Amino acid sequence: MFIKKTRSKNHTYLQVVKSYRDSGKVKHKVIANLGRFDKLLGNPELIKMGNRLLELAGQPKEEVSLEELDRLYYGHIVYKKLWDKFKLSDILHRVSRNSKIEFDIADVVMYLAIKQLLKPGSKYSSWREQGNYLGLPAIELQHIYRSLDVLAQRKGLIEKELFNQHRNLFNLEVDVVFYDVTTFHFESTDEDILRAFGFSKAGKFNEVQVVMGMMVDQHGRPIGYELFEGNLFEGKTMLKAIEILKEKYKIKKVIIVADRGLNSGMNLNIIKEAGYDYIVSSKLKSQTKKVKNEIFNPQDYIVTHVDEKTGEVLFQYKIIKDHIVKYKDENGKEYQIKDNVIVTWSSKRAKADFKKRQRAIDKANEMIENNKTPSNKKGAKRYIKTEGKEKIIGIDEEKIKNDAIWDGYYGIQFSDPNIPHDVILENYKLLWRIEESFKILKSTMEVRPIFHWTPQRIRGHFVLCFIAFLLERNLELFLNEKMVKNLSVEKIKEALNTLQVSKIKLNDQILLLKGKHNALASDILKAMNLKPIKNLSPAKI
């Protein structure tokens, strides 16, 4: 008889097994199942049983000592595989060749990117917690900060190399680029050449900020980004974005998709002069009387969706061609360009518009009852009629009536009349990709709070986050393709953080005891063709 370890599903079990021969073949018969090995370790009953067997055999008892020394994460092996796939170490070594650093920048940046993805924190806390990750090389604190300087200095080269690597790996034809702008604020009022007061999308108007413009492809993979001074209006970032596409990435044919914040005559002209096309949200309420009359004219609408039971129109659209956009340059000289507008109407949007307005009206009535005027010009205040600046008269019924006629309508401007209408509508629907990208940066990856106060370190921090986001988005796309659709970023993060091992001391041996991880973590490892840490493998001290 002997003790045998048997693997079943995700666990190892101990069995008492007897060998015997049957027709000349050696077979095993299970005499007793002792239970799961990880739960038996240190079990006094098992030790008592073993010592009793030794006693019956006339052998001295063996003292068993078991101690947990540490608990380590190893989910980063998933991102390490993607890191190697993108040849990021080679890229970082290549672009930092002349920076005169005497440490391996790839090791430092890889660890910082992994930390940003799995457990974000300050660079100092990252340095202190590096021992929590299995198998990663030790790094020094000063090397972390020096790496940020190098990343800031080599940003353009890193982006270009990553873009080319993307094209090689996925055979990408980047002909549609989604562009948007957001802000990142600091818990500070100190301005410098980068941080400044400006319009904050997070409502933090009393704190300095930076403005970030990002470009992603149709799949949500980041192409590039730029940091701008915090007081720069988002529309003025467009010129820089166009220059990047033309010079850095050498993209010749592009349709830029953007939200209404970037819809100005100047920006649209910049796109056209660059030889590109655009699809942008249109400000229908700001159109000329002639265009508005055309919008509300029921003729020429193309109905695409109808309720089969009631016959109610659910979605329809029409095209307004030769739409005139007028604008003035910085010297006040007036210009105009021609484009086209798709006007859509949907019953779903109409219901949503009605509900949103009704909430604002209810809030306005509440404010009137309490004789309080809200400070926000949008929302409730829009429907409060006043005399002068302070005196409240009542609800502005005329404004409610004027807004109600727009329920369900939405406009999209586009430059090339030859682009199929369904392509325009589909690409505009995908604009959520860029909005989702900013959401991931701000929430799951926790780009802020930003624990740096010099422009160089701030820029380096954002390069690091860009690299981390590139890894995260590609992992997400790969897993959704291989496994589960709509797998959230947060779920991936949680699953990878369940991949843990205990470093234990069993008598004189230092071993790794694999912990229990969730089912999604197993699926991710399988999809990535990776194996979990082998149970009770020797640990490097």
Side-chain angles (χ1 to χ4, degrees):
M1 289 191 298
F2 60 94
I3 303 293
K4 180 182 178 182
K5 287 196 298 182
T6 302
R7 182 75 176 171
S8 178
K9 293 185 178 180
N10 296 322
H11 301 291
T12 299
Y13 296 85
L14 286 186
Q15 297 174 327
V16 179
V17 178
K18 179 182 179 181
S19 296
Y20 66 97
R21 286 187 175 273
D22 184 8
S23 301
K25 294 183 178 180
V26 177
K27 293 187 177 181
H28 293 159
K29 181 180 180 181
V30 177
I31 304 300
N33 289 301
L34 300 179
R36 269 175 50 180
F37 182 62
D38 57 328
K39 291 187 175 181
L40 291 171
L41 279 174
N43 188 312
E45 292 301 318
L46 184 65
I47 296 171
K48 185 178 178 181
M49 183 189 300
N51 284 328
R52 177 60 178 157
L53 290 172
L54 288 171
E55 183 181 343
L56 291 173
Q59 299 295 321
K61 296 180 181 180
E62 182 178 350
E63 295 296 328
V64 177
S65 171
L66 178 64
E67 178 186 1
E68 183 181 50
L69 302 177
D70 209 348
R71 182 69 61 88
L72 305 172
Y73 296 95
Y74 71 95
H76 56 273
I77 63 174
V78 172
Y79 283 119
K80 174 66 166 62
K81 186 163 186 177
L82 283 175
W83 178 277
D84 293 338
K85 184 176 182 179
F86 279 100
K87 300 181 179 178
L88 267 158
S89 291
D90 292 343
I91 290 173
L92 290 171
H93 290 150
R94 192 158 53 246
V95 301
S96 63
R97 191 172 295 154
N98 298 321
S99 59
K100 297 180 180 179
I101 57 174
E102 297 179 352
F103 59 91
D104 193 324
I105 188 172
D107 285 347
V108 178
V109 175
M110 182 181 68
Y111 168 65
L112 292 178
I114 286 167
K115 192 69 168 59
Q116 196 72 42
L117 288 162
L118 297 179
K119 287 189 176 293
S122 69
K123 301 302 179 293
Y124 180 72
S125 68
S126 295
W127 171 71
R128 290 187 60 186
E129 295 167 12
Q130 61 182 300
N132 295 340
Y133 294 85
L134 183 68
L136 293 180
I139 56 179
E140 296 184 29
L141 182 60
Q142 63 267 32
H143 295 167
I144 289 178
Y145 295 118
R146 182 69 183 100
S147 293
L148 294 179
D149 294 337
V150 176
L151 291 179
Q153 295 159 3
R154 303 292 193 269
K155 171 188 176 293
L157 287 173
I158 292 169
E159 282 180 319
K160 189 174 180 179
E161 292 263 10
L162 286 173
F163 178 76
N164 290 333
Q165 190 66 14
H166 249 123
R167 288 214 280 205
N168 293 337
L169 287 172
F170 302 105
N171 195 26
L172 291 182
E173 288 294 332
V174 183
D175 54 3
V176 177
V177 173
F178 297 85
Y179 182 74
D180 202 0
V181 175
T182 193
T183 57
F184 290 88
H185 62 277
F186 296 74
E187 285 77 8
S188 172
T189 57
D190 296 331
E191 293 186 283
D192 52 36
I193 60 172
L194 183 60
R195 297 179 300 161
F197 293 102
F199 178 80
S200 170
K201 296 204 171 188
K204 304 292 184 179
F205 300 108
N206 296 322
E207 296 172 335
V208 291
Q209 65 179 21
V210 293
V211 175
M212 182 186 195
M214 181 184 283
M215 294 168 285
V216 304
D217 67 15
Q218 290 161 292
H219 304 287
R221 293 187 180 97
I223 296 172
Y225 77 94
E226 282 299 317
L227 278 189
F228 302 98
E229 297 86 347
N231 57 5
L232 189 66
F233 178 64
E234 65 180 81
K236 292 186 178 181
T237 67
M238 179 63 76
L239 178 59
K240 185 70 173 178
I242 295 295
E243 289 174 352
I244 292 169
L245 288 173
K246 288 182 73 70
E247 300 301 324
K248 187 187 295 183
Y249 303 122
K250 309 296 181 185
I251 305 176
K252 296 179 181 178
K253 175 67 176 174
V254 166
I255 302 172
I256 291 181
V257 185
D259 211 338
R260 70 181 64 195
L262 293 159
N263 185 349
S264 70
M266 182 73 75
N267 280 339
L268 301 184
N269 188 56
I270 287 170
I271 295 171
K272 292 192 76 171
E273 286 193 343
Y276 296 163
D277 288 301
Y278 58 79
I279 300 171
V280 297
S281 177
S282 181
K283 303 170 184 176
L284 292 184
K285 293 181 183 179
S286 302
Q287 297 294 340
T288 63
K289 185 177 180 180
K290 180 182 177 182
V291 173
K292 288 179 181 178
N293 289 337
E294 183 66 22
I295 291 170
F296 295 120
N297 184 349
Q299 293 183 349
D300 300 325
Y301 271 94
I302 300 169
V303 177
T304 60
H305 294 78
V306 176
D307 189 306
E308 294 180 359
K309 294 181 179 179
T310 65
E312 176 193 1
V313 173
L314 300 179
F315 187 88
Q316 62 182 1
Y317 74 92
K318 72 158 48 176
I319 307 297
I320 300 176
K321 296 182 178 180
D322 297 326
H323 169 251
I324 303 297
V325 180
K326 295 181 179 181
Y327 69 96
K328 293 180 180 180
D329 65 12
E330 294 178 352
N331 298 317
K333 188 175 179 180
E334 190 170 286
Y335 296 88
Q336 68 178 35
I337 57 176
K338 282 185 180 180
D339 62 13
N340 312 274
V341 180
I342 289 184
V343 179
T344 69
W345 182 91
S346 79
S347 60
K348 185 178 180 180
R349 177 179 285 276
K351 292 171 184 175
D353 290 342
F354 173 80
K355 288 181 179 179
K356 182 179 180 181
R357 183 175 59 259
Q358 193 57 51
R359 286 195 297 269
I361 293 170
D362 292 342
K363 182 68 175 176
N365 280 318
E366 182 184 330
M367 290 289 179
I368 291 170
E369 287 179 13
N370 297 321
N371 199 30
K372 291 182 179 180
T373 304
S375 58
N376 189 356
K377 292 183 180 180
K378 298 180 182 179
K381 187 174 182 180
R382 175 174 177 79
Y383 300 116
I384 295 177
K385 199 171 185 178
T386 60
E387 187 178 89
K389 290 185 178 181
E390 301 294 335
K391 188 178 179 181
I392 296 174
I393 297 175
I395 290 291
D396 194 332
E397 298 291 348
E398 187 68 21
K399 193 160 286 184
I400 293 172
K401 182 181 176 181
N402 290 337
D403 283 355
I405 63 174
W406 291 99
D407 286 358
Y409 286 96
Y410 196 80
I412 303 169
Q413 285 175 234
F414 61 102
S415 55
D416 185 355
N418 297 314
I419 303 174
H421 303 157
D422 59 337
V423 172
I424 293 169
L425 293 172
E426 183 61 32
N427 276 310
Y428 195 79
K429 284 180 184 177
L430 290 175
L431 191 60
W432 65 271
R433 294 274 191 198
I434 187 73
E435 295 169 353
E436 182 198 37
S437 298
F438 283 136
K439 182 180 177 182
I440 292 170
L441 287 171
K442 289 186 174 183
S443 58
T444 308
M445 281 181 51
E446 299 179 25
V447 169
R448 64 161 317 283
I450 302 167
F451 300 95
H452 305 286
W453 306 104
T454 65
Q456 176 111 317
R457 294 278 164 84
I458 293 168
R459 293 183 190 279
H461 172 69
F462 274 92
V463 177
L464 170 68
C465 291
F466 178 79
I467 293 171
F469 180 53
L470 177 85
L471 295 173
E472 185 285 320
R473 178 42 54 92
N474 277 283
L475 176 60
E476 180 192 355
L477 291 171
F478 178 80
L479 294 179
N480 283 332
E481 180 184 332
K482 292 285 183 181
M483 300 164 43
V484 184
K485 295 295 180 184
N486 302 318
L487 189 61
S488 75
V489 178
E490 194 59 42
K491 284 183 179 179
I492 294 172
K493 177 180 174 181
E494 289 174 2
L496 294 182
N497 278 328
T498 67
L499 291 168
Q500 300 177 26
V501 293
S502 291
K503 182 187 284 188
I504 63 171
K505 184 177 182 181
L506 182 60
N507 291 343
D508 294 327
Q509 283 187 295
I510 306 297
L511 304 171
L512 296 178
L513 177 64
K514 187 175 61 179
K516 183 179 180 180
H517 54 258
N518 68 18
L520 179 56
S522 296
D523 291 339
I524 292 173
L525 291 176
K526 184 177 179 180
M528 295 294 292
N529 199 24
L530 290 166
K531 294 181 179 180
I533 297 297
K534 190 175 180 180
N535 211 8
L536 291 176
S537 56
K540 295 180 180 179
I541 301 174

